Amino acid sequence: RVHGIGPAVNVGDYLIGLGYALVAGGASQLGDACVADILARLARAHLDLCRGQGAELLWQERMDRPIRPVDVLGIYALKTAPAFEAALHAGLRAAGGSFDAGLLRRFATNLGSAFQIADDLADWRNDGQSAPSPDVLGRRPTILRAFAEETDGGRAVQDAVAAAQGSGPGALSGLLRQIYSSCGAFARAERLYGKLRDRALADAGEFPTPALCDLLRFLTRMVASR
């Protein structure tokens, strides 16, 4: 808010680079093999996050095309889940713990997707019909929009977008809220959120030590809270 979006993005990128430098500087304590593994995983997450954001940007250029729930979940799996997976992988690897990388990825995917759906729903928590949703303002693909478009091939959503042209985001938010409510998108999103959260909790219970299981259950309850 003080310095603007450009400097904020640049500082965020700087902090990512600083994180890589901190990991690289820990070679004497962690060992070269451990540091190389952590950096490789962080780099892969960095690329996956950019791919997920790229998929979202590509959809924003083609907003006249309906988006499927599976497409939205694919974006969530790339733009959110890798951040959880990389952070947990780095901590577990540095601590010398043993873990199943496939299980960790599955846990992170379920947790990241549940987190994103909870965030989608939170954007509509204001009951005022004219309050613009941040997703409408940012023109982002969401599971709510995908569920609504799946109901009638996107006709109602596209008609709402056309009807709100020139009226501002508040008008479009009001129309979309009515569509999402009438087609059951909010209820479907709540159910999917619950399933993904439960899956993450179940995944957490499969890790090798009780302490790690408890930690990941706690993380799930904190991150994917409604």
Side-chain angles (χ1 to χ4, degrees), residues 210-223:
L212 183 54
C213 293
D214 289 343
L215 173 64
L216 295 181
R217 290 191 189 103
F218 172 76
L219 177 65
T220 301
R221 294 188 181 98
M222 290 297 294
V223 169

Side-chain angles (χ1 to χ4, degrees), residues 3-214:
H3 299 288
I5 292 175
V9 171
N10 195 43
V11 170
D13 291 342
Y14 179 88
L15 291 174
I16 293 173
L18 180 61
Y20 293 146
L22 289 172
V23 173
S28 60
Q29 293 81 27
L30 301 175
D32 292 340
C34 180
V35 166
D37 178 62
I38 292 174
L39 287 176
R41 187 61 198 85
L42 291 174
R44 191 174 77 187
H46 192 140
L47 296 175
D48 284 343
L49 292 167
C50 290
R51 290 188 182 101
Q53 189 62 47
E56 180 174 299
L57 293 170
L58 181 62
W59 178 82
Q60 289 176 337
E61 295 179 357
R62 304 173 179 176
M63 289 186 66
D64 57 323
R65 299 184 183 182
I67 189 166
R68 302 175 300 169
V70 67
D71 297 325
V72 174
L73 291 175
I75 291 174
Y76 292 170
L78 282 173
K79 67 171 286 188
T80 306
F84 293 111
E85 183 186 355
L88 290 167
H89 181 101
L92 291 169
R93 188 72 173 81
S98 62
F99 59 95
D100 182 329
L103 174 60
L104 182 64
R105 172 168 291 190
R106 190 175 75 219
F107 169 79
T109 298
N110 287 325
L111 177 61
S113 299
F115 167 82
Q116 194 65 63
I117 293 173
D119 188 59
D120 290 348
L121 289 165
D123 284 341
W124 294 88
R125 64 183 176 271
N126 190 319
D127 292 332
Q129 294 296 308
S130 62
S133 160
D135 282 329
V136 173
L137 292 172
R139 301 169 66 229
R140 293 191 293 268
T142 69
I143 198 68
L144 294 166
R145 178 159 181 160
F147 281 151
E149 292 185 341
E150 189 178 53
T151 303
D152 66 351
R155 291 186 298 275
V157 172
Q158 295 302 328
D159 289 346
V161 172
Q165 287 291 334
S167 301
L172 178 57
S173 283
L175 291 172
L176 289 179
R177 187 188 296 274
Q178 294 174 13
I179 293 169
Y180 293 170
S181 296
S182 64
C183 75
F186 288 122
R188 289 183 67 185
E190 288 280 7
R191 289 194 297 271
L192 180 56
Y193 156 78
K195 289 180 181 178
L196 291 168
R197 183 175 180 272
D198 289 345
R199 288 176 187 171
L201 289 169
D203 292 337
E206 294 185 28
F207 280 82
T209 66
L212 183 54
C213 293
D214 289 343

